[in-house]
Amino acid sequence: IPWEVDPNRTNEVADRWEKHITFVDNGSDLVAGISISRPVTDDVTAYISEASLRVKEVVSLEPQGGPGQKTIVDATDAYGLAQHIVNYLSKIRKEKGITGPTHLFLAAPNVFSFFLGQLARPLGEIKLYEYDFGSGETGAYTPSLNIKHELRL
């Protein structure tokens, strides 16, 4: 994937993504499952119920037609998608009064994750999770990284 971002194309990705929101309302956290390379929704749902996270909203994002290895075609696509997702999740946090951390479950290329990390400040505290592919179990996530920074609205 070429690393040069074309700023004239970064808004092209928004129409290609499906968003599903589940209203939970037993807490103050936002959970986002981002399925770019492979589906994560079932595993995220299983993890949430087992881990007893304090979740207010669960958002699942995936490309129309489903996840796959060729969903992101270049750096511009990755950057535009990361920008779109951060804006969308930030809007949900504000509209729903979500004050807790944003829990991110990603199945995505590194280039997307890199750009998401650069743009993620509006999401508040971020908790990342790693999937244990070797386990063969549904919901086999473990917390991997916690990013704390000031949230400026």
Side-chain angles (χ1 to χ4, degrees), residues 23 28 32 41 48 63-64 67 69 72 82-84 109 116-118 145:
F23 183 67
S28 59
T41 304
I48 291 169
Q64 293 174 352
Q69 295 300 318
I72 291 180
Q83 188 175 46
H84 175 69
L116 184 69
Q118 285 187 319
L145 187 61

Side-chain angles (χ1 to χ4, degrees), residues 10 23 25 65 70 76 79 107 114 118 136:
T10 57
F23 183 67
D25 199 27
K70 296 184 180 183
T76 299
Y79 183 84
F114 173 78
Q118 285 187 319

Side-chain angles (χ1 to χ4, degrees), residues 7-47:
N8 297 319
R9 288 188 35 236
T10 57
N11 291 326
E12 294 177 2
V13 298
D15 296 337
R16 300 187 342 234
W17 291 85
E18 297 178 6
K19 304 165 186 96
H20 306 282
I21 298 176
T22 305
F23 183 67
V24 180
D25 199 27
N26 67 351
S28 59
D29 298 0
L30 174 64
V31 169
I34 302 173
S35 302
I36 296 175
S37 312
R38 65 173 197 83
V40 300
T41 304
D42 291 344
D43 289 310
V44 170
T45 302
Y47 180 81

Side-chain angles (χ1 to χ4, degrees), residues 85-103:
I85 288 176
V86 167
N87 291 342
Y88 180 72
L89 295 177
S90 179
K91 179 181 171 188
I92 289 173
R93 288 181 63 84
K94 289 176 187 173
E95 287 177 354
K96 305 295 182 177
I98 295 173
T99 58
T102 300
H103 302 262

